[in-house]
Amino acid sequence: MTGKDTRPVSCSAADPALISEVRVGNRRFIVFGLEGMLDGVAALGIADEPALRAELLRQAGERGQIPWGLEDAAADALLLLYHRRHGATRVSEETDGPCHGRRDE
């Protein structure tokens, strides 16, 4: 065969480094090429957060299967991963951890 092989790769033959697991509560879903997807969405320059959530969810749905009924929670998880990867400001639901707000005197 000459040229680049453009046939789809089966899940069993996919590079394990490209497989990412995204947890939503006690559920999870797999996204192939998550980091590349996040970088690609960043390159789009979407500033509107609802539009950004929608684009992240759309692209993740093309690269994996979002569990039915968890679309909103999955979009929130993807948005959090996006902000962590691209150094954006803190998402309002994110906290500093179990000691957030604690003052030692």
Side-chain angles (χ1 to χ4, degrees), residues 12-35:
S12 61
D15 181 359
L18 296 177
I19 300 171
S20 298
E21 182 179 274
V22 178
R23 292 189 180 273
V24 178
N26 63 353
R27 305 272 312 265
R28 65 181 183 204
F29 62 96
I30 303 295
V31 178
F32 294 94
L34 176 64
E35 291 180 7

Side-chain angles (χ1 to χ4, degrees), residues 48-66:
D48 180 52
E49 195 152 304
L52 180 59
R53 286 177 84 248
E55 183 62 21
L56 288 167
L57 189 62
R58 184 190 71 76
Q59 287 199 25
E62 291 177 355
R63 297 168 178 259
Q65 186 173 358
I66 308 297

Side-chain angles (χ1 to χ4, degrees), residues 90-104:
R90 179 176 304 278
V91 177
S92 60
E93 294 85 21
E94 185 179 3
T95 63
D96 290 327
C99 297
H100 177 69
R102 178 178 160 196
R103 291 185 58 187
D104 292 321

